[in-house]
Amino acid sequence: MNLLVLYLLLLKAMLLSFSGLSSLPVIEADFVEKHHLITERQLNTAVAAGRSGPGPLGLYVVSVGYMAAGIPGAVAGYIAMISPAFLILPILRFLANRAGNPRIRGAIRALLLSAAGLLISSALPIGRATLTDGVTVAVAAVSFVVLAFTRVETLAVVAGSAVVGLAAALLRG
Amino acid sequence: MEYASSRSRRTDRRRITGGAALDKLAVRPLTLASLTNVFLKAGNTTFGGGDPTMMALKRELGERRGWFSDEQFALVFSLARITPGTNVLAFCAGAAYLMYGWLASVAAVVASSAPSAVLAVWLTVVFESADRNPVAKMTVSGVLAAVVGMMGAAVWQLTKPNFSSKGWPRIVALTGGTLLLREVWGWSPLEIMALAAGIGAMWREP
């Protein structure tokens, strides 16, 4: 498949979505149903691969590109994934000149508190799926205390949690 | 509250106070390399999607290094939500732009995503040929548990400035209201943030 067309198809899906997997229906329609570039099973594998590693959920787009056209397809998928991110820059430039306005300050302060609510909402499904035993609950609690009240590097907390998870798995056999 | 780039603020501060005073004010010097390094580490080691990554970046750039204010975070976090595509990449682009300009914006987006993209391709190959490794799965579970703690810490940091008798109604109305609208009535983040911005614009400072 032509890499430019592949890029444009993936870019279209990204531009029509506002969060990680919300581009999935568009990709399924274009890649599986309309153009038959990949199978449904391949799409599921791409989603699983994208979600299993670190980084954004939208990474599955790179896997879709790889499924459709190999390494060049993965590169096209990667560029399609990152391209829309730069749309934020003109909006920022516009707002930066109006930051002193009391109404805008009030709105931003409100958005800060609303963001906290959205974070709790995002944490709930991860917590339900992950905090299934004493070890994971303890890891979450210790991570909270360390991250909220100390200046320990986040990477150290992530690495320590991985070691605890691995140790728990090995002890259980 | 200002949104001028941290680099220009830092330059002005150096001009006014001199390098020695600057060293006391700045936790660590802001350079393109050091900024890119933060995005590289946070973007490629945080599991669980975009929100945990943004929280890790807030902590590393704001609380630990003092390069990124809470107000800048609120602005970029909100705009990233309404930017098409992957929210966290828009966040990286916007945050790095505010701190160091457009070159840092490109560097941040690439640094925070390219290694993970390579890993995603590798995982695609592995998943096509083998079932998931249970030990690896448990290791990731440990990391995801830390992600829950990380997000709790971020909520703490975001709401802490409002912990006063006059600030509580804001927390209840905006944080609690957001949770209610999202979890009970299924509003989209876009709708909720538009409503919150409208309320915030009308609400008088306590």
Side-chain angles (χ1 to χ4, degrees):
Chain A
M1 168 169 219
N2 185 311
L3 286 178
L4 180 62
V5 175
L6 180 64
Y7 166 73
L8 291 174
L9 282 176
L10 291 169
L11 182 64
K12 181 183 92 175
M14 296 308 290
L15 287 172
L16 292 174
S17 75
F18 287 88
S19 66
L21 291 176
S22 58
S23 54
L24 192 58
V26 180
I27 287 184
E28 186 175 25
D30 278 341
F31 282 73
V32 179
E33 293 164 14
K34 191 174 175 186
H35 297 291
H36 306 291
L37 293 169
I38 59 174
T39 65
E40 190 74 46
R41 186 186 154 280
Q42 284 179 309
L43 181 59
N44 290 338
T45 302
V47 172
R51 295 196 68 158
S52 297
L57 299 180
L59 272 175
Y60 84 98
V61 169
V62 178
S63 297
V64 168
Y66 175 79
M67 294 280 198
I71 296 295
V75 174
Y78 177 71
I79 297 172
M81 180 183 75
I82 66 170
S83 301
F86 298 102
L87 291 174
I88 197 173
L89 300 186
I91 309 172
L92 267 177
R93 286 183 69 91
F94 174 81
L95 278 179
N97 298 327
R98 292 159 181 78
N101 185 309
R103 288 194 186 280
I104 290 182
R105 287 173 58 175
I108 289 171
R109 194 173 167 196
L111 286 169
L112 205 65
L113 291 172
S114 181
L118 287 174
L119 283 173
I120 297 172
S121 176
S122 296
L124 288 175
I126 301 175
R128 281 190 210 108
T130 309
L131 307 184
T132 52
D133 54 29
V135 174
T136 48
V137 170
V139 168
V142 171
S143 300
F144 168 76
V145 172
V146 170
L147 293 169
F149 303 107
T150 75
R151 296 172 67 89
V152 171
E153 192 157 349
T154 308
L155 182 58
V157 176
V158 171
S161 307
V163 170
V164 172
L166 181 62
L170 293 174
L171 284 173
R172 284 173 191 159
Chain B
M1 190 186 312
E2 60 178 291
Y3 299 100
S5 82
S6 299
R7 184 174 53 167
S8 64
R9 283 206 308 270
R10 201 170 298 274
T11 306
D12 290 341
R13 204 158 53 193
R14 180 181 286 279
R15 197 177 297 134
I16 295 164
T17 64
L22 172 73
D23 291 339
K24 288 179 186 170
L25 288 169
V27 178
R28 293 180 196 183
L30 172 60
T31 64
L32 181 60
S34 59
L35 187 61
T36 305
N37 189 39
V38 173
F39 282 96
L40 179 73
K41 284 202 279 188
N44 298 287
T45 57
T46 312
F47 288 74
D51 283 345
T53 305
M54 287 188 267
M55 290 314 108
L57 285 167
K58 177 185 184 301
R59 186 168 183 277
E60 292 299 320
L61 298 167
E63 280 97 55
R64 292 193 74 235
R65 290 174 174 79
W67 297 341
F68 197 48
S69 69
D70 280 355
E71 288 78 16
Q72 286 177 316
F73 170 80
L75 181 68
V76 180
F77 182 84
S78 309
L79 293 179
R81 290 271 180 183
I82 59 169
T83 303
T86 306
N87 296 157
V88 65
L89 296 180
F91 178 87
C92 292
Y97 176 79
L98 282 185
M99 284 180 279
Y100 211 87
W102 67 269
L103 186 61
S105 181
V106 176
V109 169
V110 174
S112 64
S113 59
S116 294
V118 173
L119 183 61
V121 171
W122 180 76
L123 285 170
T124 306
V125 175
V126 171
F127 279 21
E128 277 210 300
S129 59
D131 287 330
R132 294 177 73 177
N133 183 327
V135 174
K137 193 176 174 183
M138 195 61 200
T139 306
V140 172
S141 291
V143 175
L144 285 173
V147 161
V148 176
M150 186 189 300
M151 295 176 86
V155 170
W156 166 259
Q157 296 290 350
L158 287 172
T159 52
K160 196 170 61 173
N162 291 277
F163 286 172
S164 66
S165 57
K166 289 180 178 174
W168 274 108
R170 275 179 182 269
I171 296 178
V172 172
L174 293 163
T175 307
T178 294
L179 192 60
L180 203 65
L181 288 172
R182 183 86 181 117
E183 290 296 310
V184 178
W185 287 295
W187 281 37
S188 73
L190 192 63
E191 293 168 326
I192 295 170
M193 298 196 96
L195 179 63
I199 291 172
M202 308 300 288
W203 195 322
R204 286 183 59 193
E205 293 283 324

